[in-house]
Amino acid sequence: MKFYICTDKEPQDNHKGIKMATEELLFASTREKLKDHHVVKEVLVKDIRFPTSKEAHGSDAMHKDPDYSAAYVVIRVTGLDKEGHGITFTVGRGNEIVVIAVKSLIPLINGCILREIFCNFAAFWRKLTCETQLRWIGPEKGAIHLAVAGVVNALWDLWGKVEGKPVWKLLSDFTPKEVISLVDFTYMTDVLTPAEAEAMLTSKVAGRSEREEELRVHGFTAYTTSVGWLGYSDELIRTLCKSALKDGFCNFKVKVGQDVEDDIRRCEIIRSEIGTENRLMLDANQRWEVEQAVNWMTELARFKPTWIEEPTSPDDILGHLEISEKLKPFQIGVATGEQCQNRVIFKQFLKTGALQYCQIDSARLGGVNENVAVILMAAKYGIPVCPHAGGVGLCEMVQHLSAFDYICVSGRREDSIIEYVDHLHEHFLHPVVIKNGCYMLPTAAGYSSEIKQQSLEDYEFPNGKEWEQ
């Protein structure tokens, strides 16, 4: 079996630039269901924005007035009555740039045989990320990589629907060879080779069904950020904490970073409501310099936070490492990842020990495939995966990734938790289900990423009725 790793030579293409990545036939069910005439015929993209800034939802130290938004991708295929719906996330202005970036990828997708995309997915993913001219405005970062995420997520939604499975189940039913065939190992092999990844996955095959059943019964532990937005009043914070406790949440996160005295006051309020037995996490959203982060967290250490999230620039691996080392005496970990641009940045964070909690993002990385790559690397280093969520559809998507991680990769739940933000779920056909502070496994086929048609019409920017008011 061969694995796809980019070289300095142009790959020999078979259909629309997709290089065959395997010698043996994988994905037998997909090959049976999809034929040569199932060809991508149309890719649509819409600029969808929700005016969340009106009530300070999502407000933090760096993003004071976010309007949660999505470049929303729809993929249609000749001969199929199913569509793929994918999301990549922004916070308002600039969403139109990502929409244009998606449109620039459409010529690489239209006309492709769907079966060949899925059965040679790493090669197709590399085709999108390594196009000889488009890569100049990345590579594998920024608006063009967000666009890749939207397209790839739509393809996974479609794959799940073709197979009649939610994406977590689709992934969890794959053999170890099938899983690693999804990953582009370029720039990763110094920390994880395909052979190592296959061995890791093989070691967890036993027990898959038991772990799946455990999630079906108990769900996957969530933490709530909805109690701690910076723009919320003290009264609202208290009310939301009480409500979250009644709903079974034991893990809470609060935004910090604008004013240390204000942070102390707000942390005192939340600790007084949730008690000392529940976990508290802090999130600075890249606000501080390295020394400033250490000094600030020394002040907040009295509240016994589990982690400080994004204490400084998301690109500053050495800065995160220094913060991590200096906070060890306080037993405060460092979490980051929601703005890590690609698997190569994650590789360096993991290899250096600069983070203790790995926060993948379903739309910041290049879709499911690159998230699988990071999940595998995190498992090698024994780092728990705690996905960033919230936004538009991020909760809906990341629940699939965490379920796959637990069932097939890490087999651990003690430190792995998923962010939950209680906004905008009503706009989805298959919204997340939270019970007793846990994500319950999705049952509908696909990636849970499809937005209701009426919501698409109402919130399309700038002409939807919600934006004409």
Side-chain angles (χ1 to χ4, degrees):
M1 183 176 186
K2 294 180 180 178
F3 299 93
Y4 193 80
I5 300 176
C6 187
T7 69
D8 58 356
K9 298 179 181 180
E10 282 293 310
Q12 294 297 313
D13 298 344
N14 62 356
H15 184 83
K16 293 288 288 182
I18 304 174
K19 179 184 176 184
M20 290 296 292
T22 62
E23 291 177 335
E24 62 185 86
L25 293 181
L26 304 177
F27 309 110
S29 175
T30 298
R31 293 179 184 278
E32 181 180 344
K33 289 181 173 68
L34 295 176
K35 307 303 178 184
D36 287 353
H37 67 272
H38 292 127
V39 173
V40 176
K41 66 176 180 180
E42 188 175 30
V43 181
L44 305 175
V45 59
K46 295 178 179 291
D47 186 339
I48 305 299
R49 307 189 195 189
F50 298 91
T52 48
S53 62
K54 290 181 178 180
E55 296 180 328
H57 300 322
S59 54
D60 61 51
M62 293 292 277
H63 312 94
K64 299 178 182 180
D65 59 347
D67 286 325
Y68 281 181
S69 304
Y72 188 79
V73 180
V74 180
I75 295 178
R76 294 171 178 162
V77 174
T78 301
L80 282 185
D81 59 358
K82 301 172 179 63
E83 298 177 340
H85 292 248
I87 289 172
T88 193
F89 172 65
T90 76
V91 292
R93 289 182 295 276
N95 201 54
E96 71 278 6
I97 297 171
V98 182
V99 168
I100 293 170
V102 171
K103 290 179 179 179
S104 74
L105 295 172
I106 291 176
L108 303 177
I109 308 161
N110 272 341
C112 285
I113 298 173
L114 190 61
R115 182 191 64 237
E116 295 306 314
I117 292 176
F118 295 152
C119 295
N120 302 279
F121 218 147
F124 180 78
W125 189 89
R126 193 64 186 176
K127 175 187 171 182
L128 296 181
T129 60
C130 208
E131 200 280 334
T132 57
Q133 294 183 10
L134 288 174
R135 76 181 305 277
W136 190 261
I137 60 171
E140 298 182 37
K141 62 177 70 73
I144 193 65
H145 210 48
L146 293 174
V148 168
V151 169
V152 171
N153 288 336
L155 285 167
W156 276 93
D157 182 58
L158 182 55
W159 198 355
K161 290 171 180 175
V162 166
E163 291 290 348
K165 299 178 181 180
V167 164
W168 70 264
K169 181 62 172 169
L170 179 69
L171 279 165
S172 299
D173 285 347
F174 288 158
T175 67
K177 278 186 168 60
E178 287 171 334
V179 171
I180 57 176
S181 79
L182 305 169
V183 175
D184 174 12
F185 281 86
T186 305
Y187 311 130
M188 281 176 54
T189 55
D190 56 316
V191 300
L192 184 68
T193 66
E196 288 177 300
E198 184 178 351
M200 287 168 48
L201 290 162
T202 300
S203 72
K204 289 293 190 292
V205 169
R208 275 189 184 186
S209 59
E210 290 81 4
R211 290 189 291 273
E212 179 179 323
E213 182 60 24
E214 183 182 347
L215 291 185
R216 289 186 185 276
V217 174
H218 300 291
F220 204 105
T221 305
Y223 71 87
T224 177
T225 304
S226 298
V227 303
W229 300 119
L230 273 180
Y232 283 2
S233 68
D234 293 356
E235 182 181 359
L236 180 57
I237 290 172
R238 288 188 184 279
T239 298
L240 292 172
C241 284
K242 288 181 173 69
S243 177
L245 287 167
K246 288 181 180 178
D247 290 338
F249 283 95
C250 300
N251 304 280
F252 300 78
K253 189 169 79 177
V254 58
K255 299 291 184 174
V256 298
Q258 280 191 335
D259 179 89
V260 68
E261 294 303 323
D262 186 59
D263 289 345
I264 290 171
R265 179 183 57 79
R266 294 168 69 250
C267 286
E268 285 176 342
I269 291 172
I270 292 177
R271 265 297 179 209
S272 71
E273 293 294 337
I274 69 173
T276 57
E277 68 277 13
N278 292 315
R279 279 194 288 192
L280 176 67
M281 284 77 73
L282 307 181
D283 186 356
N285 288 96
Q286 315 151 41
R287 181 75 175 186
W288 300 319
E289 300 294 317
V290 171
E291 184 178 358
Q292 185 183 22
V294 174
N295 293 336
W296 206 295
M297 286 306 301
T298 300
E299 291 292 322
L300 299 181
R302 71 185 81 169
F303 301 106
K304 304 297 182 184
T306 299
W307 74 52
I308 176 61
E309 183 174 333
E310 287 197 309
T312 191
S313 165
D315 298 331
D316 189 356
I317 295 152
L318 295 179
H320 278 81
L321 177 59
E322 182 176 342
I323 294 167
S324 175
E325 290 174 341
K326 290 183 176 179
L327 292 183
K328 279 182 182 178
F330 301 103
Q331 296 183 306
I332 300 172
V334 169
T336 196
E338 72 178 84
Q339 294 208 22
C340 282
Q341 302 178 69
N342 52 55
R343 69 203 179 286
V344 181
I345 300 295
F346 270 110
K347 178 186 78 171
Q348 295 169 76
F349 271 107
L350 292 163
K351 189 174 183 179
T352 58
L355 58 73
Q356 286 74 54
Y357 300 92
C358 177
Q359 295 181 304
I360 58 173
D361 185 288
S362 57
R364 173 67 60 178
L365 294 174
V368 173
N369 303 63
E370 194 168 28
N371 273 290
V372 169
V374 175
I375 287 169
L376 289 167
M377 287 191 290
K380 176 176 178 176
Y381 286 96
I383 299 296
V385 174
C386 303
H388 167 249
V392 181
L394 301 186
C395 295
E396 275 69 22
M397 292 186 288
V398 296
Q399 60 181 334
H400 295 265
L401 301 175
S402 284
F404 162 71
D405 175 35
Y406 177 59
I407 294 168
C408 296
V409 186
S410 68
R412 63 183 293 170
R413 290 181 61 207
E414 58 272 19
D415 297 314
S416 297
I417 52 178
I418 311 174
E419 184 170 23
Y420 176 70
V421 177
D422 190 16
H423 306 308
L424 306 179
H425 304 296
E426 68 273 15
H427 297 288
F428 286 82
L429 286 181
H430 304 290
V432 294
V433 175
I434 301 291
K435 292 183 179 179
N436 297 318
C438 293
Y439 280 83
M440 305 310 293
L441 282 179
T443 57
Y447 203 18
S448 307
S449 49
E450 186 169 350
I451 294 178
K452 296 174 181 177
Q453 183 59 37
Q454 190 62 55
S455 295
L456 292 174
E457 294 174 7
D458 291 349
Y459 291 93
E460 186 167 9
F461 187 86
N463 298 318
K465 74 174 186 179
E466 294 294 333
W467 290 105
E468 291 179 342
Q469 298 176 4

